[in-house]
Amino acid sequence: MDRTDSRLTGRVLDGRYRVGRTIARGGMAMVYEATDLRLDRPVAVKVMHEGLADDQEFVRRFQREARSAARLSHPHAVAVFDTGDDDGTLFLVMELVDGRTLRDLIRSETPATPARALALVEPVLSALAAAHAAGIVHRDVKPENVLLAEDGRVKVADFGLSRAINAETQHTATGGVLIGTVSYLAPELVVDGTADARTDVYAAGVVLFELLTGSKPHQADNPIQVAYKHVHEDIPAPSSRTPGIPAYVDALVARATARDAALRPADAQVLLQQVRRVRLAVEDGVTEDAELTADLLPRSYAGRGSSPTEDLDASTTDELPEILEPAELVGIAELVGAGSAAGAVDDREHTRTSWEPLGGHAPGPARDEAGVYDQERDTVVATGPAAPLLPPRQRHPVDGGRPDLPPSRTTPTRSRRGPVALLLVLVLAVAAAAGGWWFGIARYTDAPAVLGLSRAAADARLDDAGLSLRIADRVYSETVPRGMVVSTDPEPGGRVRKEGTVGATLSLGPERHDVPGLRGSTLDAAQQQLLDAKLGYGDAVERYSDDVPEGQVIASDPVAGTALRRDAAVDLVVSRGPRPIKVVDWTGKDADTAEKSLTSKGFEVTRTEENDDTVAAGDVIRQSPDSGTLVKGDEVALVVSEGPVMVQVPDVVGAGVDAAQATLERAGFEVEVQRASLYIGVQYVVSTDPGAGSSAPRGSTIVISIV
């Protein structure tokens, strides 16, 4: 598993999903925390183990189930976002739920009160009801597939391994493959491989039993015996293990887990309504409700008392056929433990904040340190022809008729031909041994070790061993130099036919990709260029730039042309546009100084002049703009004062005082009258100050002297 972790962690699948830490391990898949680079959100990615993508039928089934699961949108179902095949890596992208599993809760907080147990099961049934309404059967309802988010949400996971109900799946659960977790398998799934909504109802009933009691209903030393008990024994009443549970809660569990599927609720929606009825009674403090109990009890309990805790009487027990003898159980157990041809029991540990992929490929039943079958790790995948794990269950009419019994076995009569037959068997055995020796040993030799050798050296070594070399593939390698042998098929020491061929995979050396030139690209375009170059996008830092427009890439780190490993992260420097510069107001100040200061900051300064009676010449009358921020190259306009308007003083010498005063005022001057030193009272102007013909500011005062 560690090799798989290091191979995928940090890799970007399908150019979009960056794989992070491992959060779950299973026999058929591993689940990783990942980041959707396109939408910048955390997701969970389930990656099927190597080799599964080579099975085209599996790939088609996987994609079909993924599309089926993606149709399901419900607040209590883990959403399926995407599926893909990245160069032989088959994966499923799902919603990431941060929290723990219901299995974690069962281990630490059970037995739970009936109110708590029903409150936990209700959202599970709500999700299953939505699935059943959409024609989807989950097929693997168990505590490991129920996620408890830190914010209190309850989510059902792994709908991606279920199949839509259709004509094709009405007759066999998985097309000849029995998939499920033994402790939660409905009897009909064990007996004849059929599965429908009532199969999920049965599993949900077992989960409710486990919440109420803290233990699984059927205990045994191996998964086959547990499956046998599901077929032959009713689920015990929860109150038999946790006293004090009301009889109507026992009846609810009995109804959901009835061995006859016809006696169970038709689907999760029906069971959900029953759970709500029972939960209301529990929350109201009802300890006994005979009517509710009788209403919930499956019809198979009629005539056996009011409680499912009562033992079956002898006549009822007689109606249950002996499907398998102990010796036959051993045979099936050997079949299930036979490796890839039969199946396996998943022995993985449950992982927090995740769920466990269905299936397993470990050789044989999982056992704990004491060597006893561990029922908390009991996922079974049994493959083979489209046939049930156990013979079809014999049905009995309601009137109590007994089933037809198989014909009794008789001991064959001894024959005098015994010695001849024995001799014939011995001859055949010797012939078989000789044939086995030839076909299994004599025709084969050991493949020599050529790892790390050049192609020529490997060819020579294989030639010395009477074998030939075939180049099967070329792959990148961080440890094996270019042109050297990375791996062989068969491996060194493996069996190969004499004068046969050994396939060799040669190293292309370390995989390196050049950082593309990204300056001037938009951020989205730069990310796409990195993905196209088989590199990853790291982070973006914004900086001001006077020559690169806002939103475009200024530079990359490492710089363009640098050779990096596949999916290595490249950071980008993105322009924020020109740096803003604060504008200072120069109104009323020296214009030359203002122009020099503004120009030094990169502004373009325009200057115009005009007269002003109040602003001294050479000072700034007004500025635009006079506040806020600008960037280099922006324009600042200055209006500079030329001082007041100058007017020529009219000649009023010799004019009467009134006429002179009127003339000067019309010219825009103020007039002040003074008597000359020789004043005689005739009221004529003898002089002006400033003198006639000179220029004076309009509005200034002209002094006239009179005699």
Side-chain angles (χ1 to χ4, degrees):
M1 293 297 182
D2 292 339
R3 180 181 65 82
T4 305
D5 289 352
S6 61
R7 180 179 64 85
L8 285 179
T9 299
R11 178 175 165 184
V12 178
L13 296 177
D14 203 22
R16 178 172 181 178
Y17 305 104
R18 182 184 297 282
V19 179
R21 65 184 181 92
T22 306
I23 55 178
R25 308 165 186 252
M28 291 179 68
M30 297 186 68
V31 182
Y32 299 86
E33 185 177 307
T35 301
D36 183 341
L37 299 177
R38 188 172 302 168
L39 299 179
D40 191 24
R41 65 176 175 182
V43 295
V45 175
K46 175 180 288 186
V47 179
M48 300 297 112
H49 287 332
E50 291 181 359
L52 291 178
D54 296 334
D55 184 349
Q56 293 304 311
E57 176 58 32
F58 176 83
V59 172
R60 285 191 293 270
R61 186 170 66 247
F62 177 84
Q63 293 173 341
R64 184 169 63 248
E65 292 167 353
R67 288 193 296 269
S68 175
R71 296 201 314 266
L72 181 61
S73 177
H74 192 273
H76 294 301
V78 173
V80 174
F81 298 141
D82 194 9
T83 182
D85 184 349
D86 186 298
D87 194 21
T89 300
L90 198 61
F91 64 92
L92 187 71
V93 182
M94 298 167 291
E95 173 186 8
L96 180 64
V97 180
D98 188 15
R100 57 175 178 164
T101 68
L102 189 60
R103 171 64 63 203
D104 298 324
L105 182 145
I106 289 174
R107 287 171 175 163
S108 60
E109 302 179 28
T110 56
T113 63
R116 177 91 186 282
L118 292 167
L120 287 168
V121 166
E122 186 171 320
V124 175
L125 292 174
S126 179
L128 292 174
H132 294 168
I136 300 172
V137 179
H138 190 290
R139 284 186 180 81
D140 195 28
V141 178
K142 58 182 178 181
E144 289 77 12
N145 281 337
V146 178
L147 310 182
L148 308 177
E150 292 183 350
D151 59 5
R153 293 172 298 144
V154 178
K155 293 270 190 175
V156 180
D158 253 353
F159 280 99
L161 289 175
S162 63
R163 288 188 176 185
I165 301 174
N166 53 42
E168 180 181 322
T169 57
Q170 288 296 324
H171 303 291
T172 174
T174 54
V177 181
L178 176 64
I179 298 181
T181 305
V182 174
S183 293
Y184 308 91
L185 284 182
E188 67 272 13
L189 193 56
V190 176
V191 172
D192 51 25
T194 59
D196 59 17
R198 295 170 298 182
T199 306
D200 289 345
V201 167
Y202 184 92
V206 176
V207 171
L208 177 58
F209 177 94
E210 200 169 350
L211 284 168
L212 292 167
T213 65
S215 61
K216 291 185 172 65
H218 294 316
Q219 310 284 338
D221 291 336
N222 62 61
I224 300 304
Q225 293 177 3
V226 175
Y228 180 86
K229 287 189 175 185
H230 278 289
V231 176
H232 286 283
E233 299 178 14
D234 288 326
I235 300 295
S239 61
S240 66
R241 298 190 186 176
T242 306
I245 293 177
Y248 56 82
V249 176
D250 284 344
L252 174 68
V253 174
R255 183 66 169 268
T257 60
R259 284 184 289 154
D260 188 344
L263 300 178
R264 290 180 223 141
D267 56 27
Q269 182 61 42
V270 178
L271 180 58
L272 177 61
Q273 298 302 323
Q274 295 173 348
V275 164
R276 287 171 176 167
R277 288 180 60 196
V278 172
R279 185 180 177 187
L280 182 62
V282 169
E283 292 175 348
D284 288 344
V286 177
T287 56
E288 294 184 10
D289 189 330
E291 182 179 353
L292 179 59
T293 301
D295 190 28
L296 290 174
L297 277 175
R299 291 191 301 276
S300 60
Y301 284 96
R304 287 194 272 151
S306 62
S307 173
T309 62
E310 298 181 16
D311 296 331
L312 298 175
D313 57 29
S315 62
T316 307
T317 305
D318 288 342
E319 294 180 2
L320 297 177
E322 288 296 333
I323 293 181
L324 292 176
E325 297 295 336
E328 294 171 311
L329 273 175
V330 173
I332 290 181
E334 292 173 351
L335 174 64
V336 174
S340 62
V345 178
D346 188 358
D347 61 353
R348 64 191 181 277
E349 290 292 345
H350 302 306
T351 306
R352 186 177 181 272
T353 72
S354 63
W355 56 94
E356 299 173 327
L358 185 63
H361 295 280
R367 297 185 177 273
D368 59 17
E369 295 179 358
V372 179
Y373 163 62
D374 184 354
Q375 296 196 68
E376 287 196 3
R377 300 177 297 179
D378 58 356
T379 300
V380 170
V381 177
T383 66
L389 178 61
L390 301 178
R393 182 177 177 185
Q394 300 184 37
R395 306 292 182 184
H396 305 288
V398 178
D399 60 8
R402 296 181 60 80
D404 296 333
L405 297 177
S408 61
R409 300 171 182 173
T410 58
T411 304
T413 306
R414 293 184 178 237
S415 170
R416 295 179 182 178
R417 300 174 184 172
V420 177
L422 178 60
L423 178 61
L424 179 60
V425 170
L426 291 174
V427 171
L428 292 175
V430 171
W437 172 80
W438 169 250
F439 288 102
I441 299 176
R443 294 197 304 166
Y444 292 86
T445 185
D446 293 338
V450 295
L451 300 182
L453 299 182
S454 66
R455 176 175 181 174
D459 199 359
R461 180 172 293 184
L462 291 172
D463 187 63
D464 292 342
L467 301 170
S468 58
L469 175 69
R470 175 178 58 86
I471 304 303
D473 197 3
R474 288 177 170 82
V475 297
Y476 291 104
S477 173
E478 296 292 329
T479 57
V480 180
R482 182 181 181 88
M484 302 300 180
V485 177
V486 176
S487 62
T488 59
D489 182 20
E491 296 179 351
R495 306 293 289 166
V496 59
R497 288 186 61 175
K498 293 178 179 178
E499 300 182 357
T501 300
V502 174
T505 299
L506 298 183
S507 172
L508 293 173
E511 182 178 8
R512 296 293 183 267
H513 301 279
D514 291 341
V515 177
L518 302 173
R519 182 179 174 88
S521 300
T522 64
L523 183 58
D524 289 342
Q527 290 178 355
Q528 187 60 51
Q529 286 179 263
L530 289 173
L531 294 176
D532 293 342
K534 299 182 179 179
L535 296 173
Y537 165 62
D539 199 2
V541 177
E542 291 187 339
R543 293 181 185 171
Y544 292 111
S545 174
D546 295 331
D547 54 352
V548 178
E550 182 178 1
Q552 294 184 7
V553 174
I554 300 173
S556 63
D557 182 18
V559 298
T562 304
L564 300 177
R565 291 186 179 186
R566 180 188 179 104
D567 297 329
V570 176
D571 295 332
L572 301 177
V573 180
V574 181
S575 173
R576 296 180 62 180
R579 183 185 298 275
I581 304 171
K582 184 177 181 180
V583 177
V584 176
D585 185 9
W586 289 90
T587 302
K589 299 177 182 179
D590 183 69
D592 293 338
T593 304
E595 184 174 2
K596 179 184 287 188
S597 175
L598 293 170
T599 302
S600 68
K601 293 183 178 181
F603 300 136
E604 295 290 336
V605 179
T606 61
R607 179 169 173 167
T608 58
E609 296 180 346
E610 64 181 45
N611 295 104
D612 191 283
D613 294 338
T614 59
V615 179
D619 289 349
V620 176
I621 300 172
R622 57 184 178 274
Q623 173 183 320
S624 178
D626 58 2
S627 62
T629 60
L630 297 175
V631 298
K632 286 184 178 181
D634 285 352
E635 181 181 290
V636 177
L638 299 178
V639 178
V640 182
S641 174
E642 290 185 324
V645 176
M646 302 301 289
V647 179
Q648 187 176 19
V649 178
D651 185 6
V652 292
V653 175
V657 64
D658 292 336
Q661 187 171 355
T663 300
L664 290 172
E665 288 178 348
R666 284 198 299 271
F669 297 113
E670 299 289 333
V671 178
E672 181 181 342
V673 180
Q674 292 183 349
R675 292 180 180 181
S677 58
L678 299 178
Y679 179 74
I680 58 176
V682 295
Q683 300 292 314
Y684 284 98
V685 177
V686 294
S687 65
T688 62
D689 184 20
S694 63
S695 294
R698 185 171 52 193
S700 60
T701 300
I702 304 297
V703 178
I704 60 175
S705 298
I706 61 174
V707 293

